[in-house]
Amino acid sequence: MTERIKGIITPVMEVKWSNLMKPDVAFGEGSANHNITVILTPELEKILSEIAKDNGAKKINGLYEKDGVKTVKFKSKSYVDKGVFPCQDSTGNYTDVVPFGTDTVRIKLAPALITKGAVRSMSFYLNGVQIV
């Protein structure tokens, strides 16, 4: 069961990797999605943790740590059929440009509580990207 919660817009953060130009099909066409991985700042970690805690989730999906660098990945299937994920520039206008590693962005997220049996986790789905 999935329960939707009020959306959020993140602070400005650094992109580590993105699959916004075309869908990521690494796990097959059936699991195709656009995604963006950003460096998890203490500020963003606090925001995500508070939303998870307020909704009774014990885990945040998409968090990773490698070589001492914490990241978080956000995914969307909304625009898979259109090819590119729509991004906005710093003025809020849509652009053909997509962010890549070291670019800075703000991301619009849709938190969703995921319940599987007695386990509750929090996913944050990608709803929008603004290149700063």
Side-chain angles (χ1 to χ4, degrees), residues 3-126:
E3 182 181 325
R4 298 230 178 253
I5 298 139
K6 185 178 185 248
I8 63 166
I9 295 176
T10 68
V12 175
M13 62 194 115
E14 183 181 329
V15 175
K16 185 79 171 163
W17 181 260
S18 74
N19 285 302
L20 299 175
M21 184 66 75
K22 62 182 182 178
D24 181 1
V25 293
F27 297 103
E29 292 289 332
S31 66
N33 66 76
H34 288 102
N35 59 67
I36 188 167
T37 302
V38 296
I39 295 176
L40 184 65
T41 63
E43 179 184 15
L44 179 61
E45 187 171 23
K46 182 180 178 197
I47 292 167
L48 300 181
S49 295
E50 284 177 0
I51 293 170
K53 183 181 172 190
D54 289 349
N55 289 283
K58 300 288 184 209
K59 176 183 182 259
I60 297 172
N61 301 317
L63 294 179
Y64 303 95
E65 185 169 348
K66 183 177 180 182
D67 301 327
V69 178
K70 290 183 179 180
T71 61
V72 60
K73 180 188 275 189
F74 305 115
K75 300 179 183 181
S76 172
K77 290 185 173 242
S78 298
Y79 297 94
V80 168
D81 59 335
K82 295 187 176 31
V84 68
F85 189 89
C87 296
Q88 294 175 302
D89 62 20
S90 61
T91 63
N93 294 313
Y94 284 96
T95 177
D96 292 334
V97 176
V98 297
F100 290 103
T102 72
D103 288 341
T104 54
V105 296
R106 286 195 317 211
I107 301 175
K108 185 175 180 183
L109 299 171
L113 188 60
I114 311 294
T115 305
K116 291 182 181 175
V119 180
R120 300 179 89 176
S121 64
M122 181 68 64
S123 287
F124 292 88
Y125 292 101
L126 179 63

